[in-house]
Amino acid sequence: MKEWWVQVGLLSVPLLAVYLHIPPPRLSPALLSWKASGAFFTYKHQSIFYRDSTGAVGSSDVVILLHGFPTSSYDWSKIWEGLTQRFHRVIALDFVGFGFSDKPRPHHYSIFEQASIVERLVRHLSLHHQRINLLSHDYGDTVAQELLHRLLVWLLHVHRIMGYCLCNNGLLFSILQYINQRKKHRDRWVGALMSTSVPLHLIYGPLDPVNPHPEFLQLYKKVLPMSTVSVLDDHISHYPQLEDPTGFLNAYLNFINSF
């Protein structure tokens, strides 16, 4: 009898071949509309999808939305219109490896690369001297933390991050390298939050299985006592912007309007 690992290997090869050749699913009308209203820019030969909507007249404020794992910019669809009523520009992108952006393989996906892609988008849209707010979720939280670290080190003369709000900050594919990256660079990214003078806010769904209540909230407040917090209804979980868009939007706008 062959060794078990040989049998597993022989079975895995055809399954992997089938997986790699599965055609992508057909897009829903909502996703087709989302894609049609966006555009693409190039980062190191990679095509990156983004949306950029002009909103409130009389405001110069910009908000950049950073999505989580394993989703896309469409996570922000339910609060998009509400944000355009407050901000002059509402911008979101699909990180490389996600959504409508390129998914190169093999590829070393990293938080550092994703942060550089956001910086390139800022330059692409000529937002260097604009008032920029970051609103992030899950995987996007770590990208935002890297951006805050760079701001502390050398970006002060390039653009200003005015406010940073994260929601349900969560700690198969090479994209999952980010979990190990979080552990390896914890001091760098948590340190950025602890050292920044940028206003911080957390919007939290207490039913989140990734960040269980109340332990996560207690630790967050201990590490970042300067941050304000909004706790949504008890039934809200890991995707508060989708599960409770009205409550989420109100919590975020209250934070933005407080400074």
Side-chain angles (χ1 to χ4, degrees):
M1 184 176 177
K2 295 181 179 179
E3 296 288 344
W4 68 267
W5 55 269
V6 175
Q7 297 182 49
V8 171
L10 292 174
L11 179 62
S12 299
V13 170
L15 288 177
L16 180 61
V18 170
Y19 168 76
L20 293 175
H21 290 86
I22 293 176
R26 296 181 62 181
L27 298 179
S28 67
L31 282 173
L32 287 171
S33 176
W34 187 262
K35 184 178 182 180
S37 61
F40 291 84
F41 73 101
T42 301
Y43 175 82
K44 294 185 177 180
H45 308 294
Q46 299 163 0
S47 182
I48 306 297
F49 174 82
Y50 71 96
R51 286 195 73 196
D52 177 12
S53 293
T54 301
V57 176
S59 171
S60 61
D61 286 0
V62 176
V63 61
I64 297 179
L65 314 175
L66 308 177
H67 69 81
F69 178 91
T71 50
S72 71
S73 58
Y74 190 71
D75 281 357
W76 307 108
S77 60
K78 289 187 176 182
I79 64 169
W80 194 268
E81 183 177 353
L83 290 173
T84 62
Q85 296 174 18
R86 168 58 177 80
F87 292 94
H88 177 61
R89 300 274 288 277
V90 180
I91 299 163
L93 76 160
D94 290 348
F95 292 126
V96 64
F98 298 81
F100 297 123
S101 292
D102 281 352
K103 303 167 185 64
R105 59 178 184 235
H107 185 77
H108 179 72
Y109 291 93
S110 75
I111 295 297
F112 301 102
E113 178 184 43
Q114 307 288 21
S116 295
I117 289 172
V118 176
E119 290 181 330
R120 178 66 60 84
L121 178 59
V122 167
R123 292 194 294 271
H124 175 73
L125 297 176
S126 299
L127 299 175
H128 302 69
H129 304 292
Q130 295 291 104
R131 293 165 56 91
I132 295 176
N133 298 273
L134 296 179
L135 174 56
S136 62
H137 175 237
D138 187 74
Y139 181 92
D141 292 340
T142 311
V143 178
Q145 287 170 249
E146 171 59 19
L147 290 168
L148 282 178
H149 175 82
R150 297 182 187 188
L151 176 72
L152 289 170
V153 176
W154 60 273
L155 272 183
L156 285 171
H157 66 288
V158 179
H159 63 79
R160 298 170 292 164
I161 297 178
M162 302 303 298
Y164 169 39
C165 179
L166 49 95
C167 53
N168 288 57
N169 181 21
L171 292 173
L172 169 163
F173 307 112
S174 58
I175 295 177
L176 279 174
Q177 295 169 13
Y178 84 95
I179 295 176
N180 291 329
Q181 292 170 27
R182 276 180 169 174
K183 295 177 181 178
K184 181 178 180 180
H185 302 289
R186 182 186 184 280
D187 290 345
R188 176 188 181 99
W189 291 332
V190 175
L193 292 178
M194 296 174 68
S195 303
T196 186
S197 60
V198 171
L200 301 176
H201 189 70
L202 169 70
I203 302 176
Y204 179 64
L207 199 60
D208 183 4
V210 180
N211 307 287
H213 186 270
E215 293 84 4
F216 170 77
L217 206 54
Q218 292 170 349
L219 177 60
Y220 180 88
K221 290 179 177 179
K222 180 180 179 180
V223 175
L224 299 172
M226 78 294 287
S227 174
T228 52
V229 176
S230 295
V231 181
L232 301 180
D233 290 344
D234 290 345
H235 65 282
I236 303 303
S237 183
H238 190 65
Y239 285 87
Q241 72 274 40
L242 294 174
E243 299 170 51
D244 183 12
T246 299
F248 182 93
L249 183 62
N250 288 338
Y252 182 59
L253 294 182
N254 285 338
F255 163 63
I256 288 297
N257 293 330
S258 68
F259 61 90

